[in-house]
Amino acid sequence: MTLSPKRIDHLVLAVRDLDAAGAHYDTLGFQVGTRNRHPWGTENRIVQFQSSFLELIAVGDASLIPDHRPGHFSFGAFVRDYLARREGLAMLVLDSDDAKADASRFAEEGIGAFEPFFFERKGRRPDGSETHVAFTLAFALDPNVPQGSFFVCQQHYPEAFWNPAFQQHANGAVNVSAVTVEATDPARTADFLRAFSGGESQGPSFLLRHQGRIDVSAQPGEGRLTGFTIAVPELAVVAARLRQAGIAHTSSADAIRISENDGFGVQLQFKAME
């Protein structure tokens, strides 16, 4: 079966202190949303772009987190267990037009035998008024990336979620353009990503819709999601903001990089839009 490439929907960034992480991303020049609470014990703040977003997430009430059980992936338990080891990029999420169909396909492909997970919550518009959003998720796992998780997200009320007012950032950020995966067996992870994303392979990368990309590299003994790239119109604007804030970074002709030691466990890269 030929699959159409998906796009990067969002990245789940697990942090221990949600307010501190929000302040850090605000200093980097991102507009960071207010705190949302999930009924399964996690809390998040969102940084929204044109067709993707960052989800800063922390454990709010561990007593509400359900454990994993056969056929059911516990989002809260994964975040809790990930944070017991480290902070960082915990989950890569692609879009879905039909998460139930994707869940069935993942099971057939042998990459995820989990029931789809539906949830809904209230949200806030820029004017403070309340709105309603709902999602269905379908999970997949790659044994060669044991410290990461993957799922697709179907938004049932996208018009209530995506909002240009939330997409205005002082650093000019436009979208998440790439994600880096370090795998213990890159060839097998390539097979997984082909089935998961529908993306076309180009060397060690998989090309997605909206000019997105997943890059795969080898990491003996440890497999995880390590970092991501944000597309911006002008690197000079980013560089000036980082210098003013005193945030350590390295620069080259085409990119600005912040190491995971300076970014809540995540390697963050800014690149000029192509």
Side-chain angles (χ1 to χ4, degrees):
M1 178 175 61
T2 302
L3 302 175
S4 298
K6 296 182 179 295
R7 64 167 171 79
I8 297 171
D9 187 79
H10 69 280
L11 307 179
V12 179
L13 309 177
V15 299
R16 297 191 176 103
D17 186 329
L18 190 57
D19 287 334
H24 175 73
Y25 277 82
D26 178 76
T27 301
L28 291 173
F30 296 105
Q31 180 185 173
V32 184
T34 58
R35 182 182 295 254
N36 302 297
R37 291 178 171 83
H38 298 138
W40 55 85
T42 54
E43 301 179 353
N44 74 11
R45 297 180 68 181
I46 286 172
V47 178
Q48 188 179 123
F49 309 114
Q50 289 183 358
S51 66
S52 59
F53 65 96
L54 306 178
E55 180 179 12
L56 306 175
I57 197 159
V59 173
D61 186 346
S63 69
L64 298 177
I65 295 177
D67 289 327
H68 296 293
R69 54 193 176 92
H72 295 269
F73 184 94
S74 171
F75 181 97
F78 184 87
V79 171
R80 176 199 62 201
D81 296 345
Y82 184 95
L83 284 170
R85 298 187 300 269
R86 58 173 291 121
E87 293 181 293
L89 176 50
M91 300 179 176
L92 166 58
V93 190
L94 304 183
D95 74 312
S96 176
D97 294 325
D98 188 339
K100 291 183 178 179
D102 281 324
S104 296
R105 183 173 60 80
F106 293 165
E108 292 173 2
E109 297 277 3
I111 63 173
F114 303 107
E115 289 294 320
F117 177 62
F118 172 84
F119 75 97
E120 54 191 339
R121 66 168 173 82
K122 301 296 183 181
R124 291 285 176 185
R125 297 185 178 92
D127 63 5
S129 61
E130 192 173 81
T131 187
H132 176 257
V133 292
F135 313 86
T136 300
L137 315 180
F139 293 92
L141 293 175
D142 177 8
N144 298 291
V145 187
Q147 294 192 49
S149 180
F150 303 81
F151 64 92
V152 296
C153 177
Q154 178 184 359
Q155 296 207 25
H156 297 286
Y157 304 103
E159 70 283 356
F161 180 85
W162 300 106
N163 192 317
F166 291 146
Q167 299 165 11
Q168 307 304 310
H169 304 281
N171 59 18
V174 174
N175 247 337
V176 178
S177 59
V179 181
T180 302
V181 181
E182 290 187 347
T184 57
D185 188 332
R188 290 185 181 275
T189 290
D191 290 339
F192 167 85
L193 290 174
R194 192 172 291 107
F196 174 65
S197 73
E200 177 186 352
S201 60
Q202 188 177 83
S205 300
F206 284 83
L207 306 183
L208 307 175
R209 285 173 35 237
H210 288 220
Q211 298 183 314
R213 192 178 74 244
I214 305 173
D215 298 324
V216 183
S217 63
Q219 183 62 37
E222 183 181 51
R224 62 188 180 96
L225 302 160
T226 57
F228 61 93
T229 300
I230 295 291
V232 295
E234 296 182 60
L235 287 176
V237 172
V238 177
R241 188 174 187 93
L242 296 180
R243 285 195 301 269
Q244 184 177 17
I247 295 176
H249 62 282
T250 59
S251 298
S252 63
D254 66 342
I256 294 173
R257 299 175 181 85
I258 299 172
S259 76
E260 64 180 52
N261 294 328
D262 299 300
F264 286 80
V266 177
Q267 298 171 17
L268 171 56
Q269 177 175 250
F270 294 93
K271 293 199 75 171
M273 295 172 59
E274 298 178 357

